[in-house]
Structure formats: structure tokens, C-alpha cells
Amino acid sequence: MSQITDSQKPEASAHQTGGQTHFGYKNVPIQEKEARVADVFHSVASKYDLMNDLMSAGIHRLWKRFTIETSGVRKGHRVLDIAGGTGDLTMKFADIVGDDGEVVLADINASMLKVGRDRLLDKGYGRNIEFVQANAECLPFPDNHFDCVSIAFGLRNVTNKDRAIESMLRVLKPGGRLLILEFSKPVLPIISKAYDLYSFTALPVMGKLIAGDSESYQYLAESIRMHPDQETLKAMMETAGFARCKFYNMTAGVVALHTGIKP
Amino acid sequence: MAIDPVIVSSMTAAIEEAINKTLQYSPASQKHIDQLDGAVIDICTDPFNIRLQFGNQRIFIHHQTDESPAQATISGSPLALLRLATSSESLTNLGKNSVVIEGDSETIQQLYAFVKTLDIDYEAMLAEITGGIPAHFIGSSFRSLRRWTKSANESMESNIEEYLQEEGRQVPARVETEIFADEVDELTLAVDRLAARIELLVQQKKESPNT
């Protein structure tokens, strides 16, 4: 497994040209990406939580915690957790909104949704949670419906990110908040080098040993590099129509939380 | 350079976990937590401001990154807030403690009632780790030590007071001080009256210089 070089990495801005889009560092037909991403998550769903804890040394819990702290969600609110996966954010949101509120855990992947639903039901959640299989690009919800929409570690897997952000804007109520938690670009060069080394050597090995699948974790590392950096994503949110857009770098920019308000 | 949010979140997570774990051993407080369900209260002790959010019989502790306003805000130095939480004063005397309270008064009353009913059963907490018998032994020893400390403290205060006032004659007795203070007060009033009288006479002299 070799470390990434600039010549290997395609231009992130060159995504979706000529009917092609990126799937990690590969270019694939746009209509294929969704199925390929689905295969990745079908493959890793059962070991998803364990791998998250191992890969991040548990820090992903603090990234998600900060997202909740920034959400401004209150009792009685209606929250949409897109790409909710195994339900980490949904659980916290459900505690806060209480029985008067509602949390929708949406994921495009049936395997992830099943793992998330089983996990939440086993923990005694469910009264104020709905589980919906949905594509972030065309959310099956009415306009102006949610007080808060979150997508944690999901946007980079979406084929058309602009369309997904526009869809999130549509379902938010005016004054509602979008939270995008996603891997981003480290702000310190030394961290960036160490992070690349870790991503392209340790992650696939861990994936092979724990989840029996190194390719999915190779894709994870590649897809992170292809994801828009902090400023680009912020500009995408502003272009979609969000106001007061800003981002918080976490762990030296390895992860960033973007927030925006629907005007 | 700003502190990484992950560090702040790890601190709030630790505080939140400790508080909620401890609250399990104060059953009397549960009723008040239910009353506070949904409440959002900011505690401002610069530079560390936190937000308390009540829900699902828990307290969520957040660093204040959320810009939406809280129902109530309590501001003051950490020492003043600690004094407020531990004092037996009523809520109407809070202004004397250099604590500023803003927002919904009912929420503040409920929070105050919640803090006042906290009665944590530390022995039960300890029993989960050590077992019942060692916990009871440690609890009894701690209570005895606390009683002895309180008694020794009171006794020492009384003895020092008696020595300084009665034996050493270094300071006057409380009654003597009170009498002296009363006399000073009377003298102050008399001087004020005299000053007013002189002022009046001077005024009269100015108005009719020929008399």
C-alpha cells in the first residue's frame, strides 16, 4: 500500500464531468457510483461501530458530541439525521427532543439502516424515532418540515453533493440549521502527512483484519481526499442558499463541522 | 490559537457523565429534574461558559457554541456560584452574592429547588465499588470525622473568643462592642443634627444680615 501522491490523486473539482464521477480515485459512470457505495456499506455494516472506534481511537464520539452541542436542538423539535447509519447522533437527538419531538433516521443503505434500527431498539429507543430509507439528493419529506438536518460522514459518498445540499435546504424550516460533519483537510502540513500515512497504510490493514474487507477502507481513505475542503464546502452551502455558513475544524482539520441556517 | 472543540467536548462529556452518574444517587431530585424537562440554562463563569439542557431525566452539558438564546442565564465568578449553590439563603437574597440572573424566573426557581434538594448518597455510590460493609464502615468513619471536625471547630472558635475577650483582654466583648457602636451611631446623628442646625443659622444670617 503506497502513500498518496499528487499525480495519483485526480482533481476534486473535476468530479462529474462527461457523465463520469469519482469513486475514490477511480472515475466511474455517474449511475454506477450509488451502487458501488452501497456495496461498500453492505460490506462493512456489521462491523461499522467497532471499526469507527478503532480507526479514530474513539474520537468520533467527541466529533459527534460537538455536532450535537452546536445543533441548537430543543425539546419538541423535528430532526432529520441523514446517513444516520448506526444511529449515534439519532440517539442523542432523541434524548433531547423528547416525546414531543421527532427524529428521522434516514440512510440510503438498507444494511446500515437495519443495523441502526436494531441497535436503537435494543437500547430502548424508538418512541420518537422513524427509520426511513432515503436518498439525500431527493429527500422524501415535505418542504419546511425539519428544525434541524444533520449529515455525519455521509456527504462525501453522495453522488451529486450540490443537489443533496439543495434538498436539505428544501426540507428545513426557515431558521432551521444544517449540520455537515465530514472529514476535511488538515490545517497543519505535518498532521496532513501523518494522516495520509495512517490512512493509506493502517486503515486498509485494519479493514482487512477486523471487517475482512480492505478495499472498502481504501475507498474510505480515497473518498476523504476527494471530498471538498472546508472553504469549498462552505461556498457550496452558500451557493445553495444557506445563510451564516461557517465551519469548525476539529482535530486540526481532520474533521470539520459546517453549519448553515435556512433564511 | 483557539482550543480544539474536541478538547472542550471531552471536558463537557466528562462533566456530564459525572453529574448524571451522581444524580442517580439523589432520588429526591428526580421530581425537580422532571419539572425542568426541556429547560435550557446558561452558566457563565468566564472564560468557561456552559449550557445546561434538561431532557430524558438527564442533564446535557454543552459548551456554548449554539447561538440560540437560553431560557435563563446565571453569571458570576465560580466562587460566587459555589456559594450560591451551597448557601441556605432564599432566592430573594441572591443579589448580594455578586451573581447576575436573567431570563425566566420560574426556570430559575425550579433550578434552585433542584440544587437545594440534592442529597447524594455517597455511601451507596461507594458500595457499588467496594461492597456494602466496607462502604458502611468508610461512610460511618467519614460521618464521625465530620461531626468531630464540626464540634472541634466550634469549640476552638469559642475558646479563642473567650481567651481574647475575657482572659487576655485583647479585644472587647461582643456586648461592649455593640454598646460602643450604638453610642457612635448616636454621636453621628447628633453631629449631623448640629451640622444641619448650623447650616440653617448660617442661611438665616445670610438672608437677614441686619438682625
Side-chain angles (χ1 to χ4, degrees):
Chain A
M1 205 64 62
S2 61
Q3 198 177 337
I4 179 177
T5 63
D6 285 345
S7 59
Q8 284 174 294
K9 181 182 167 185
E11 280 298 311
S13 58
H15 71 289
Q16 289 188 8
T17 49
Q20 296 271 307
T21 188
H22 58 77
F23 175 75
Y25 290 162
K26 298 186 189 86
N27 276 326
V28 297
I30 286 175
Q31 59 273 23
E32 266 187 34
K33 177 167 175 175
E34 202 173 295
R36 283 180 176 242
V37 172
D39 287 343
V40 167
F41 284 93
H42 284 311
S43 166
V44 302
S46 61
K47 303 279 185 186
Y48 188 78
D49 282 335
L50 175 65
M51 280 302 291
N52 276 350
D53 279 333
L54 286 173
M55 289 186 301
S56 70
I59 297 175
H60 74 99
R61 294 173 192 279
L62 296 173
W63 296 331
K64 289 170 183 167
R65 183 184 171 84
F66 182 72
T67 306
I68 299 283
E69 290 183 4
T70 313
S71 68
V73 167
R74 301 287 171 85
K75 183 179 165 67
H77 276 186
R78 195 180 278 148
V79 181
L80 171 62
D81 181 15
I82 304 172
T86 52
D88 283 345
L89 287 183
T90 297
M91 258 189 293
K92 283 278 188 185
F93 281 136
D95 282 338
I96 292 171
V97 301
D99 290 343
D100 299 337
E102 181 188 26
V103 184
V104 177
L105 193 165
D107 204 301
I108 194 170
N109 189 281
S111 300
M112 291 297 291
L113 200 60
K114 184 176 182 309
V115 171
R117 184 178 57 195
D118 290 349
R119 181 177 176 227
L120 293 183
L121 293 178
D122 287 349
K123 283 179 178 276
Y125 287 87
R127 280 178 306 180
N128 55 357
I129 300 175
E130 276 196 48
F131 303 90
V132 175
Q133 188 171 4
N135 186 339
E137 293 174 32
C138 43
L139 292 166
F141 304 105
D143 296 358
N144 308 319
H145 192 64
F146 293 100
D147 297 284
C148 178
V149 172
S150 68
I151 177 165
F153 304 112
L155 189 65
R156 71 176 188 284
N157 298 314
V158 174
T159 307
N160 190 328
K161 295 175 182 58
D162 291 319
R163 197 186 299 164
I165 293 170
E166 281 163 16
S167 185
M168 292 173 210
L169 181 74
R170 181 184 63 77
V171 299
L172 267 173
K173 291 177 185 174
R177 188 171 307 198
L178 171 66
L179 304 158
I180 301 176
L181 179 66
E182 191 52 91
F183 291 104
S184 206
K185 190 175 179 192
V187 289
L188 299 173
I190 189 166
I191 298 278
S192 189
K193 284 191 191 315
Y195 180 49
D196 280 347
L197 187 67
Y198 172 73
S199 303
F200 287 96
T201 53
L203 284 193
V205 173
M206 285 162 76
K208 180 76 181 170
L209 292 175
I210 308 294
D213 179 359
S214 65
E215 282 182 13
S216 293
Y217 290 90
Q218 178 73 24
Y219 162 72
L220 169 70
E222 291 176 3
S223 65
I224 290 168
R225 271 71 187 176
M226 296 305 295
H227 187 67
D229 64 15
Q230 288 90 329
E231 289 295 346
T232 310
L233 183 54
K234 185 181 166 209
M236 286 165 70
M237 289 171 69
E238 285 166 344
T239 305
F242 279 97
R244 289 161 60 192
C245 297
K246 57 183 166 185
F247 61 84
Y248 303 87
N249 281 324
M250 289 187 268
T251 321
V254 168
V255 163
L257 173 67
H258 284 72
T259 64
I261 306 286
K262 178 172 179 176
Chain B
M1 193 176 169
I3 300 174
D4 195 306
V6 167
I7 295 170
V8 180
S9 284
S10 64
M11 286 164 66
T12 56
I15 296 168
E16 181 182 301
E17 190 59 30
I19 288 177
N20 285 303
K21 187 81 181 166
T22 307
L23 285 179
Q24 291 172 6
Y25 297 95
S26 179
S29 310
Q30 288 304 318
K31 185 183 82 177
H32 294 283
I33 287 198
D34 289 342
Q35 286 175 347
L36 281 161
D37 191 43
V40 178
I41 300 165
D42 284 346
I43 310 285
C44 301
T45 56
D46 283 334
F48 196 66
N49 302 330
I50 58 170
R51 171 162 284 186
L52 309 182
Q53 190 164 8
F54 291 80
N56 200 18
Q57 297 197 320
R58 283 177 64 86
I59 304 177
F60 303 99
I61 312 277
H62 296 171
H63 180 56
Q64 277 180 32
T65 44
D66 166 20
E67 295 153 0
S68 51
Q71 280 160 278
T73 304
I74 303 174
S75 315
S77 68
L79 200 64
L81 292 179
L82 187 68
R83 205 180 304 133
L84 169 66
T86 54
S87 76
S88 55
E89 286 182 30
S90 72
L91 200 53
T92 50
N93 291 333
L94 291 181
K96 295 174 186 171
N97 282 326
S98 328
V99 174
V100 178
I101 296 174
E102 295 166 301
D104 180 29
S105 58
E106 190 184 347
T107 306
I108 294 291
Q109 290 278 5
Q110 286 169 346
L111 178 70
Y112 196 68
F114 162 67
V115 173
K116 290 295 152 194
T117 54
L118 279 177
D119 183 18
I120 296 151
D121 187 353
Y122 292 104
E123 195 173 308
M125 278 175 82
L126 193 61
E128 284 200 358
I129 303 165
T130 62
I133 294 172
H136 181 65
F137 174 74
I138 294 167
S140 302
S141 305
F142 181 74
R143 281 190 293 274
S144 298
L145 181 68
R146 199 169 58 178
R147 273 198 301 272
W148 180 86
T149 309
K150 190 180 172 195
S151 163
N153 197 29
E154 286 170 358
S155 177
M156 186 175 72
E157 272 183 22
S158 170
N159 288 340
I160 290 172
E161 185 180 318
E162 190 181 332
Y163 174 78
L164 291 174
Q165 290 174 352
E166 307 298 337
E167 295 181 27
R169 307 295 292 174
Q170 302 292 318
V171 292
R174 185 185 297 275
V175 179
E176 289 172 330
T177 312
E178 284 170 359
I179 290 169
F180 177 71
D182 286 345
E183 286 173 353
V184 170
D185 284 346
E186 275 182 33
L187 182 63
T188 308
L189 288 172
V191 169
D192 287 347
R193 280 196 296 271
L194 182 61
R197 182 73 185 156
I198 291 168
E199 181 71 23
L200 186 64
L201 288 172
V202 170
Q203 195 67 32
Q204 283 174 352
K205 182 75 177 166
K206 280 182 187 168
E207 286 170 1
S208 47
N210 297 329
T211 56

